[in-house]
């Protein structure tokens, strides 16, 4: 398996493939890979001849320095996992901070038609500037035909689609369904840091989202939101940060339901000091 640490090497590699009429899929990650990432890689290999996986814990998207320090870094295990899918059709780009940022570890400032102000944008200052900066740079370096992102970070997915539109970047952005453990917990690299107790409590998030979806069939968004808040009050191991029912395209909280629109419910909750997010399509 090819492993690049340098942007010019990965750029040359992809240019060479594209010159031979091969197509290249791209899966940007922060490592600590799990089956959810592998599902994106497999989809990428179904649609393209080759896939590049970037593994880079991007410092500019963390609003919490403790979370950045503790974020799992497991390059050898990640490469071993990717090799179980393919040794020849997958390449890894694992840059240093310097390769991406030089000596200026700063994010650019973005406006994504207001998408950046909602939910994660409101609760994690500067997060989407960091995500926009790294994804734009990675797209410029890797120049893939298609890029794959999980719907667990649904707001991020919508923002990256907007980034591509606003900057006329020649890549097709493809959203992929959330991958869950058998008990319903959405797969996340952060799950490995949960204590046994918090891991056992965490599936409550998806269980509540599924019930919220049923209630949304007959009740208002306000009713369902308040119902979810009451459920979390009864669960001492999880602290709800937000439950928001939003319009899928604008991500603005819904005031009055319309059957011409689609909605999703979004939750962020703390299990101890680990922040978990999840969401569900409601209609
Ligand atoms: O979703 C992630 O893992 C990160 O936000 C991404 C897209 C790799 C950018 O650092």
């Amino acid at each position: 398996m090819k492993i690049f640490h340098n942007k010019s090497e990965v750029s040359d590699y992809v240019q060479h493939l594209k010159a031979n009429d091969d197509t290249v899929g791209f899966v940007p990650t922060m490592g600590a890979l799990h089956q959810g990432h592998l599902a994106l890689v497999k989809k990428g290999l179904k649609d393209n001849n080759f896939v590049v996986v970037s593994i880079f814990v991007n410092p500019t998207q963390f609003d919490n320095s403790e979370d950045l320090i503790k974020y799992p870094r497991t390059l050898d295990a990640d490469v071993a996992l990717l090799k179980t899918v393919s040794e020849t059709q997958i390449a890894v780009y694992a840059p240093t901070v310097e390769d991406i940022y030089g000596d200026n570890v700063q994010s650019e400032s973005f406006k994504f038609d207001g998408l950046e102000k909602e939910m994660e944008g409101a609760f994690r200052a500067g997060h989407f500037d960091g995500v926009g900066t790294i994804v734009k740079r990675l797209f410029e370096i890797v120049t893939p035909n298609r890029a794959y992102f999980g719907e667990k970070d649904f707001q991020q997915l919508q923002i990256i689609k907007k980034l591509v539109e606003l900057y006329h970047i020649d890549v097709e952005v493809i959203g992929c369904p959330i991958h869950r453990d058998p008990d319903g917990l959405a797969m996340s690299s952060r799950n490995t840091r949960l204590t046994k107790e918090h891991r056992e409590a965490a599936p409550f998030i998806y269980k509540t989202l599924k019930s919220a979806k049923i209630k949304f069939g007959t009740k208002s968004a306000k009713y369902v939101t308040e119902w979810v808040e009451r459920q979390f009050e009864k669960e001492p191991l999880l602290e709800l940060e937000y439950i928001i029912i939003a319009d899928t395209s604008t991500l603005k909280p819904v005031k009055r339901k319309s059957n011409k629109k689609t909605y999703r419910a979004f939750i962020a909750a703390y299990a101890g000091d680990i922040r978990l997010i999840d969401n569900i399509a409601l209609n």
Side-chain angles (χ1 to χ4, degrees):
M1 175 175 285
K2 290 192 164 45
I3 302 174
F4 303 109
H5 297 287
N6 184 298
K7 59 182 168 220
S8 59
E9 286 167 4
V10 71
S11 286
D12 290 351
Y13 169 72
V14 173
Q15 291 314 317
H16 177 76
L17 293 175
K18 287 166 84 181
N20 286 336
D21 281 341
D22 283 319
T23 59
V24 178
F26 179 42
V27 180
T29 81
M30 297 207 297
L33 301 184
H34 49 65
Q35 293 300 321
H37 293 115
L38 287 197
L40 303 180
V41 172
K42 286 177 189 163
K43 169 80 175 130
L45 281 177
K46 227 170 140 199
D47 298 349
N48 305 277
N49 307 107
F50 292 88
V51 165
V52 174
V53 178
S54 65
I55 296 180
F56 178 64
V57 182
N58 173 37
T60 64
Q61 71 187 73
F62 285 79
D63 60 325
N64 174 333
S65 54
E66 180 92 354
D67 194 24
L68 171 61
I69 292 163
K70 289 194 176 157
Y71 202 88
R73 288 157 173 89
T74 56
L75 183 60
D76 292 345
D78 293 344
V79 168
L81 196 60
L82 290 171
K83 280 185 180 168
T84 65
V85 180
S86 169
E87 293 224 15
T88 52
Q89 287 173 283
I90 301 173
V92 168
Y93 173 44
T96 57
V97 172
E98 211 202 340
D99 193 49
I100 296 287
Y101 287 102
D103 56 9
N104 186 23
V105 189
Q106 297 277 340
S107 45
E108 295 162 47
S109 174
F110 292 94
K111 285 201 167 59
F112 297 111
D113 283 357
L115 293 173
E116 77 285 1
K117 294 196 182 128
E118 308 299 330
M119 300 182 288
E120 294 299 282
F123 283 89
R124 300 180 68 189
H127 174 65
F128 286 121
D129 282 339
V131 170
T133 302
I134 186 60
V135 173
K136 186 163 166 278
R137 287 190 194 182
L138 288 170
F139 281 167
E140 285 160 3
I141 293 166
V142 179
T143 65
N145 299 90
R146 302 183 182 87
Y148 299 84
F149 294 86
E151 286 184 346
K152 183 174 81 68
D153 297 291
F154 191 84
Q155 185 174 12
Q156 168 175 279
L157 170 65
Q158 299 298 71
I159 281 179
I160 289 164
K161 286 183 179 165
K162 185 59 72 182
L163 171 87
V164 163
E165 180 193 316
L166 293 175
Y167 289 87
H168 309 287
I169 303 171
D170 188 14
V171 59
E172 185 185 350
V173 175
I174 297 170
C176 301
I178 301 175
H179 240 69
R180 300 184 179 280
D181 282 340
D183 60 10
L185 178 63
M187 287 188 186
S188 161
S189 305
R190 288 188 173 85
N191 293 354
T192 57
R193 290 174 49 211
L194 291 168
T195 63
K196 187 170 171 290
E197 246 189 336
H198 286 126
R199 174 63 190 79
E200 278 167 17
F204 179 82
I205 299 173
Y206 183 52
K207 195 171 146 241
T208 310
L209 280 172
K210 282 193 295 184
S211 303
K213 178 177 176 139
I214 295 167
K215 291 193 184 297
F216 191 72
T218 53
K219 304 281 187 196
S220 70
K222 183 171 182 289
Y223 176 94
V224 178
T225 304
E226 288 171 2
W227 178 83
V228 169
E229 284 166 355
R230 286 199 300 278
Q231 303 318 298
F232 272 85
E233 278 159 23
K234 292 184 233 161
E235 176 46 77
L237 287 167
L238 300 173
E239 196 190 320
L240 183 67
E241 185 167 59
Y242 63 72
I243 156 73
I244 291 174
I245 296 181
D247 181 311
T248 308
S249 54
T250 63
L251 299 181
K252 292 210 180 312
V254 48
K255 294 209 174 83
R256 181 183 278 267
K257 271 183 358 186
S258 150
N259 53 19
K260 294 196 188 84
K261 293 185 173 172
T262 59
Y263 302 105
R264 274 183 112 94
F266 297 84
I267 281 181
Y270 279 91
D273 56 0
I274 309 300
R275 189 171 181 279
L276 301 171
I277 59 170
D278 201 350
N279 67 85
I280 196 168
L282 293 175
N283 61 341

